[in-house]
Amino acid sequence: MVWFRSVCESWRTIIHEPQFVKKHLSLATKDDNINNWGVITHYQYQDPKSCSLRSIFHEPYGRAVDLYYPFKNLQRGVGIVGSCDGLVCSYDIERTFDKFYIWNPSTRESLILPSFGEGANFGSSDGFGYDSSNDDYQVIRVAFVKAPLEVKVYSLKTDSWRRIEDFPNNLKMSQPMESSKLVNGSIHWSAANLSDNSWVIIALD
């Protein structure tokens, strides 16, 4: 996609139009050809890499290539919150910077999100997904500042954070520093119910 943007100004303009992006995404998600799909591999303090599914399933060894990411030039480790519709949400793994990044590996474009605010560096569990009702990509952050656990949502459409209902105080995340999982449009966490010591899955729609 980066190559096509460089052909001429009119192509660059078309590629950046929201309707073109949505149509391209719609066609891509309906394509069952394994050659068009890939995965991002990531290990702590190592650069993320991209690997095609065809390489994984049909070759002796998967061929992984380095990915560009927003603060690669700073030689800092990257943490991956999650991916959705070809976009990736990441952060500085050392949490020196109170920043999230949303970036597109295909176009190499990125956006720095505004500061989360108080308590950002005391630990958190994060999530990234798409809100179809508002046609908006969102980042979820549960910050471990104090009880109750604060939950804030970043909206790509408004480029701002807002606080929503607190995380249930009778639940404790099993692995708080790990990101949540996006399933069927909802963000999910595994948690322990402190009232009866049972395991539960909590979902944020």
Side-chain angles (χ1 to χ4, degrees):
M1 192 64 72
V2 176
W3 296 341
F4 295 125
R5 290 188 308 166
S6 304
V7 173
C8 62
E9 190 64 32
S10 60
W11 280 32
R12 180 182 178 87
T13 302
I14 291 173
I15 288 173
H16 281 83
E17 289 181 352
Q19 292 305 317
F20 176 86
V21 174
K22 289 181 180 180
K23 181 172 286 189
H24 180 74
L25 178 62
S26 176
L27 291 173
T29 54
K30 294 176 182 177
D31 190 351
D32 294 329
N33 188 345
I34 193 174
N35 295 331
N36 298 328
W37 293 89
V39 296
I40 293 177
T41 62
H42 173 249
Y43 297 94
Q44 193 174 25
Y45 294 104
Q46 295 186 15
D47 291 344
K49 298 179 181 294
S50 175
C51 190
S52 70
L53 286 184
R54 178 176 178 80
S55 172
I56 294 174
F57 290 118
H58 298 293
E59 297 181 16
Y61 301 98
R63 298 181 180 178
V65 296
D66 288 336
L67 278 177
Y68 165 84
Y69 59 94
F71 40 90
K72 184 173 184 176
N73 294 336
L74 298 178
Q75 300 295 314
R76 307 193 70 83
V78 59
I80 303 295
V81 175
S83 65
C84 182
D85 295 340
L87 299 177
V88 179
C89 181
S90 61
Y91 60 91
D92 170 22
I93 201 168
E94 297 177 22
R95 299 194 182 255
T96 304
F97 308 122
D98 175 21
K99 300 291 183 184
F100 281 105
Y101 297 78
I102 294 178
W103 50 286
N104 187 330
S106 297
T107 63
R108 295 190 176 184
E109 295 176 307
S110 62
L111 173 70
I112 302 175
L113 277 57
S115 172
F116 175 81
E118 181 184 358
N121 294 318
F122 287 93
S124 67
S125 184
D126 314 309
F128 178 56
Y130 174 71
D131 177 8
S132 59
S133 62
N134 293 310
D135 187 25
D136 191 15
Y137 290 94
Q138 297 181 337
V139 179
I140 314 298
R141 191 164 211 194
V142 182
F144 308 111
V145 184
K146 55 186 177 181
L149 301 184
E150 295 181 358
V151 183
K152 288 188 178 181
V153 178
Y154 167 82
S155 163
L156 183 60
K157 185 175 289 186
T158 64
D159 190 30
S160 62
W161 292 91
R162 64 185 175 92
R163 186 173 176 179
I164 61 173
E165 183 179 349
D166 294 333
F167 198 85
N169 57 17
N170 65 318
L171 299 178
K172 180 180 179 181
M173 290 184 183
S174 56
Q175 295 175 317
M177 294 305 293
E178 290 193 2
S179 297
S180 58
K181 308 304 177 187
L182 176 66
V183 182
N184 293 331
S186 296
I187 306 294
H188 294 73
W189 291 269
S190 61
N193 189 333
L194 301 179
S195 59
D196 60 6
N197 293 321
S198 63
W199 287 104
V200 297
I201 294 177
I202 184 169
L204 176 62
D205 188 332

